[in-house]
Amino acid sequence: SNGYFTYDPGFMATSACESKITFIDGDKGILLHGGYPIEQLAEKSDYLETCYLLLNGELPNAAQKEDFVSRVMNHTMVHEQLQFFYRGFRRDAHPMAVMCGVVGALSAFYHDNLDINDPEHRRIAAIRLIAKMPTMAAMSYKYSAGQPFMYPRNDLGYAENFLHMMFATPCADYKVNPIVARAMDRIFVLHADHEQNASTSTVRLTGSTGANPYACIAAGIAALWGPSHGGANEAVLKMLDEIGDVSKLDDFIKRVKDKNDSTKLMGFGHRVYKNFDPRAKVMKQTCDEVLTALGIHDPQLELAMKLEEIALNDEYFVSRKLYPNVDFYSGIILKAIGIPTSMFTVIFALGRTPGWIAHWLEMHSAPYKISRPRQLYTGPVQRDFVPMDKR
Ligand code: SDX
């Protein structure tokens, strides 16, 4: 017990690892980063300040924040040759496939002179990854759109710069709407870290072998891609597309409840939250704000809200404690901003980078052993080899 939270010895004996970064209470729907509730960070902080908190365990003072923001915004360019990695992909390659490849390729550019046993080198790698992810993410979109890559601009804010690299072209600048930039920044905050989820556990497990941080983050991106994890935001929009309109909701819910049908209500349910995901509440509020401010009437928002209302009052979902998670409303905001569905999980990976890196740094901050999960063997007992003529 650390005076706040007490775990039974059995849990501690089996838990994957201890961490100071993020606390989740799935029954109460609580998410804290460094002790600060996600609702307060989403409303009062911003993404780079949250990145600083995840990496250092404390909110920065004004001078610390200015220095951190400057270091990040002055490392946003990627090595010019990295562009050639994109050109090896087909134009219709999924941006997550591109990100797995290109982020892993950073090892070939920045790893050689990196000594992961040197804390300062590890912090430089952390800054580089947080700084370069938006550039690489935007490049994966530009490549798929057949448009020229846009260079980052150090004079813009973090979210503004990402939107600039996504939507500006050499022929026309992109005027970033402050409401859209604020919503984008808040979406990054809401995705920044989430304890020992599948992709973060992947980063920690990969890091425990001594692999370089770029390879570890590439492994995290690969794990995030699955529809049960970060791929769910893209799957929610596909689900809403397939349902079509509110008249089809009852049939859809019937299919979800049918034991013989594998249809799931994407954006609902969670391994830990058996109550509302606090991020989903903020995301829904942000969704309302952005669509209203932009004067967008999106029938899919109404469809999602109706679906949520039905599910929250249906015994199948209530008895299984299935509530909306972070992915249920995020796609509707991203679509309103003009981001294509194929980029939704890339946005999740971008937002989650400081969390992955913070866990990688935390693992390196003390002596560690290679992760080696054990198993319960259920195969055949030992037996002798059978020659071919006896099989
Ligand atoms: C993320 O771990 C993290 O923190 C992840 C994440 C993060 O920030 O890193 O929070 C991000 O990954 C959020 C989850 C996004 N995924 C989805 O929205 C996909 C849809 N959700 C499901 O695939 C599912 O809810 C999971 C994968 C999220 C959790 O699956 P579990 O662990 O099997 O859920 P469970 O044990 O609570 O399931 C209990 C029952 C089962 O039915 P029975 O066998 O009891 O009859 O509920 C059913 C499940 O089949 N169920 C669902 C469902 N989720 C669970 N039925 C229909 N629709 C769903 N979405």
Side-chain angles (χ1 to χ4, degrees):
S1 168
N2 64 3
Y4 297 96
F5 314 111
T6 302
Y7 293 116
D8 67 78
F11 173 87
M12 293 308 282
T14 56
S15 67
C17 68
E18 290 181 23
S19 173
K20 295 186 178 66
I21 299 167
T22 290
F23 174 77
I24 297 173
D25 181 325
D27 294 327
K28 296 186 187 129
I30 293 172
L31 168 57
L32 309 177
H33 293 318
Y36 297 101
I38 188 64
E39 297 88 340
Q40 293 184 29
L41 292 171
E43 187 197 338
K44 299 172 181 167
S45 185
D46 61 41
Y47 181 62
L48 285 184
E49 190 171 78
T50 304
C51 289
Y52 184 97
L53 170 63
L54 291 169
L55 296 183
N56 298 286
E58 295 296 340
L59 288 169
N61 61 32
Q64 289 164 331
K65 180 169 182 176
E66 189 185 347
D67 172 62
F68 183 74
V69 170
S70 158
R71 278 153 61 97
V72 168
M73 294 316 291
N74 283 284
H75 281 85
T76 50
M77 269 211 307
V78 293
H79 193 292
E80 195 68 0
Q81 275 188 248
L82 202 70
Q83 299 190 23
F84 297 114
F85 279 86
Y86 289 83
R87 301 194 197 291
F89 288 94
R90 287 177 17 178
R91 288 279 180 186
D92 61 354
H94 193 290
M96 280 297 278
V98 177
M99 290 297 284
C100 286
V102 175
V103 173
L106 288 182
S107 312
F109 288 89
Y110 301 116
H111 168 55
D112 297 351
N113 53 11
L114 175 88
D115 171 7
I116 58 171
N117 299 310
D118 180 334
E120 189 44 31
H121 281 211
R122 293 200 294 267
R123 300 199 72 75
I124 290 170
I127 293 277
R128 271 186 175 143
L129 278 156
I130 292 170
K132 297 179 192 310
M133 279 298 268
T135 309
M136 293 186 289
M139 288 170 76
S140 65
Y141 166 63
K142 284 299 200 187
Y143 185 70
S144 69
Q147 288 186 4
F149 298 135
M150 292 302 290
Y151 284 103
R153 277 181 40 190
N154 298 356
D155 61 316
L156 296 178
Y158 191 87
E160 273 181 286
N161 188 30
F162 171 64
L163 293 166
H164 153 73
M165 293 187 286
M166 282 285 290
F167 299 123
T169 70
C171 323
D173 201 359
Y174 170 75
K175 185 96 189 71
V176 182
N177 178 327
I179 294 164
V180 170
R182 180 75 187 116
M184 191 77 257
D185 190 271
R186 185 177 293 173
I187 288 171
F188 290 150
V189 169
L190 293 172
H191 286 88
D193 187 51
H194 209 241
E195 204 224 61
Q196 305 303 323
N197 58 84
S199 54
T200 301
S201 302
T202 301
V203 170
R204 286 189 87 122
L205 190 140
T206 311
S208 76
T209 70
N212 75 73
Y214 309 106
C216 295
I217 299 303
I221 292 172
L224 183 77
W225 194 1
S228 290
H229 191 11
N233 52 16
E234 181 176 349
V236 167
L237 263 289
K238 280 196 181 120
M239 172 186 74
L240 294 174
D241 271 342
E242 282 162 15
I243 294 170
D245 61 63
V246 288
S247 68
K248 309 284 192 332
L249 280 177
D250 288 345
D251 286 347
F252 173 76
I253 293 289
K254 273 199 199 97
R255 279 176 37 213
V256 171
K257 293 157 71 170
D258 178 353
K259 267 279 176 225
N260 303 316
D261 190 321
S262 61
T263 302
K264 286 210 183 288
L265 173 45
M266 302 311 278
F268 258 66
H270 199 274
R271 286 304 275 140
V272 178
Y273 289 122
K274 301 307 169 190
N275 193 328
F276 259 87
D277 177 337
R279 302 167 297 175
K281 285 184 188 170
V282 180
M283 200 68 88
K284 182 178 178 181
Q285 181 194 338
T286 305
C287 196
D288 288 339
E289 286 167 11
V290 170
L291 270 66
T292 307
L294 297 179
I296 293 174
H297 168 71
D298 183 351
Q300 286 195 323
L301 173 59
E302 278 161 45
L303 185 58
M305 291 168 76
K306 189 72 188 141
L307 186 49
E308 178 188 8
E309 183 194 328
I310 293 171
L312 294 182
N313 293 288
D314 184 299
E315 197 275 338
Y316 172 91
F317 298 95
V318 174
S319 65
R320 291 169 174 80
K321 298 185 179 181
L322 302 177
Y323 293 91
N325 60 48
V326 69
D327 294 306
F328 191 63
Y329 284 105
S330 57
I332 295 171
I333 309 173
L334 294 173
K335 189 177 101 176
I337 291 175
I339 292 175
T341 312
S342 62
M343 283 292 292
F344 286 7
T345 309
V346 173
I347 300 287
F348 193 142
L350 204 175
R352 184 52 55 87
T353 296
W356 287 332
I357 277 293
H359 283 272
W360 180 77
L361 288 173
E362 184 177 62
M363 193 200 68
H364 276 282
S365 64
Y368 63 91
K369 285 186 177 299
I370 187 169
S371 291
R372 179 57 175 86
R374 295 313 308 273
Q375 68 170 11
L376 292 175
Y377 178 68
T378 57
V381 294
Q382 183 168 331
R383 51 184 170 167
D384 292 330
F385 184 76
V386 180
M388 184 58 80
D389 59 358
K390 295 270 187 303
R391 291 179 205 166

